Amino acid sequence: MARASGQKLKILSVLQILTEETDEWHPLGAAAIAEKLKSRGISAERKSVYDDIEQLRGFGYDIVYAKAGKKGGYYLGSREFELPELKLLVDAVSASRFITPKKSRELIGKLEKFAGKEEARQLQRQVYVAGRVKTERENIYYTVDAVHRALQHQQQISFQYMEWGLDGKLHPRREGARYQASPWALLWSAENYYMIAYDASAGRIKHYRVDKMQNIRLLPQKRLGQQAFDGFDPGAYANRTFGMYGGKDCVVTLEFSDSLVGVVMDRFGKDTSLYPSGNGTFLIRVEVAVSGQFFGWLTGLGSQVKLLGPPDVARQYREHLEKIMEGYRNTGGNDET
């Protein structure tokens, strides 16, 4: 009985061997495959291995025969994912702050199964990305799932929103009072996951970091905010919302040194219109969320950027810089080391 059961699994075992142990540089001959089947307790002759391979080919698997010198062997050609694609996915998982280290290892382990054994070793080397700060909260996956269900059924949700305390722990904002919002999108920006939603009480679009949402509940009420989200562009929203910090949306005029064209394209997108000034600078007009984060981005570029208008935003920026300077005017200092 055990022998018969093993024979029924033989063709599946052949497929598993080809999937896990072969690639273009490591083919296996029929005799080698038969030996590996034998080590699994499945008796097989080379002829039956040939038959199994032909059946798998007939079913649609791309099994290639490669000849090297007097010897040849089989390997699984096309796969669900090519190695460069898997490396890209592994890097994304490794870099994602909202995925815990434990879940990262689990997901990468699953991705490795789409590659051969030798290629999987290359994916393992990709795991060691130094200096990445990652969340420790495992329940983020359930929060994401709940938001997806709310999006699918167009429902409102309620939740507690957390913030970091001086004790290094997350605590509920507003003394634990629940937030209520209408989800419209999930956005991955600045290495974090955000829910983009309509806040009916404020009458505007807001965003919330998913890893700081807790005790989420789906509500029976249908979501609101259709008019606010007509023509909504998540990419444009992320570009103008610096560090995903909210602020009043405003069209500003900025003057940059010509050397910062790449910086501008990276920040605002390749469709941004540039207007040469003729003196080694260019102008842009873009919509941004005016906030401390936006001013901080400008400050980081130093004298290579000027905020030209509107006048009230330029005034706010000057006040922002003056407050920073004020913090240093009254501090004692000694240049000697």
Side-chain angles (χ1 to χ4, degrees), residues 201-245:
S201 61
R204 64 185 180 90
I205 296 173
K206 289 186 177 181
H207 58 263
Y208 305 88
R209 260 180 59 172
V210 174
D211 60 311
K212 292 186 177 181
M213 296 168 61
Q214 187 168 283
N215 299 324
I216 189 169
R217 296 176 191 163
L218 272 67
L219 303 177
Q221 297 99 311
K222 284 294 182 181
R223 70 182 181 186
L224 305 172
Q226 177 69 60
Q227 187 174 358
F229 278 87
D230 282 344
F232 178 76
D233 183 340
Y237 181 86
N239 284 343
R240 69 173 181 265
T241 311
F242 282 72
M244 295 305 288
Y245 278 79

Side-chain angles (χ1 to χ4, degrees), residues 6 26-27 32 48 67 77 92 107 110 136 154 156 197-198 200 209 214 216 231 250 269 282 295 310 312 317 319 336:
H26 303 87
S48 69
K67 190 168 184 180
L107 291 174
K110 291 177 180 179
E136 296 294 334
Q154 301 183 12
Q156 295 184 41
Y198 183 74
R209 260 180 59 172
Q214 187 168 283
I216 189 169
C250 181
F282 64 92
F295 292 152
D312 63 319
Y317 182 42
E319 292 174 352
E336 295 181 4

Side-chain angles (χ1 to χ4, degrees), residues 16 34 65 78 84 95 121 125 130 154 192 197 204-205 246 272 289 294 302:
Q16 187 177 45
Y65 180 78
S78 59
R121 290 196 179 99
R125 288 199 292 271
Q154 301 183 12
N192 286 305
R204 64 185 180 90
I205 296 173
T272 305
F294 168 57

Side-chain angles (χ1 to χ4, degrees), residues 52 99 134 172 196 216 242 308 322:
D52 289 337
I99 303 178
K134 298 172 77 71
I196 313 299
I216 189 169
F242 282 72
L308 301 182
E322 287 168 0

Side-chain angles (χ1 to χ4, degrees), residues 140-247:
I140 185 176
Y141 317 111
Y142 303 107
T143 302
V144 171
D145 182 61
V147 173
H148 273 298
R149 282 187 283 121
L151 290 169
Q152 181 182 0
H153 298 291
Q154 301 183 12
Q155 291 175 261
Q156 295 184 41
I157 63 171
S158 73
F159 55 93
Q160 290 180 309
Y161 203 50
M162 314 297 285
E163 63 182 351
W164 290 103
L166 293 175
D167 58 358
K169 297 179 181 179
L170 284 170
H171 301 276
R173 285 187 180 179
R174 303 196 312 199
E175 298 182 347
R178 299 187 68 81
Y179 288 62
Q180 185 168 333
S182 298
W184 282 87
L186 280 167
L187 174 67
W188 190 355
S189 178
E191 298 188 348
N192 286 305
Y193 222 176
Y194 294 88
M195 179 187 74
I196 313 299
Y198 183 74
D199 183 336
S201 61
R204 64 185 180 90
I205 296 173
K206 289 186 177 181
H207 58 263
Y208 305 88
R209 260 180 59 172
V210 174
D211 60 311
K212 292 186 177 181
M213 296 168 61
Q214 187 168 283
N215 299 324
I216 189 169
R217 296 176 191 163
L218 272 67
L219 303 177
Q221 297 99 311
K222 284 294 182 181
R223 70 182 181 186
L224 305 172
Q226 177 69 60
Q227 187 174 358
F229 278 87
D230 282 344
F232 178 76
D233 183 340
Y237 181 86
N239 284 343
R240 69 173 181 265
T241 311
F242 282 72
M244 295 305 288
Y245 278 79

Side-chain angles (χ1 to χ4, degrees), residues 307-320:
L307 174 54
L308 301 182
D312 63 319
V313 178
R315 174 184 53 77
Q316 291 178 49
Y317 182 42
R318 286 195 301 271
E319 292 174 352
H320 174 82

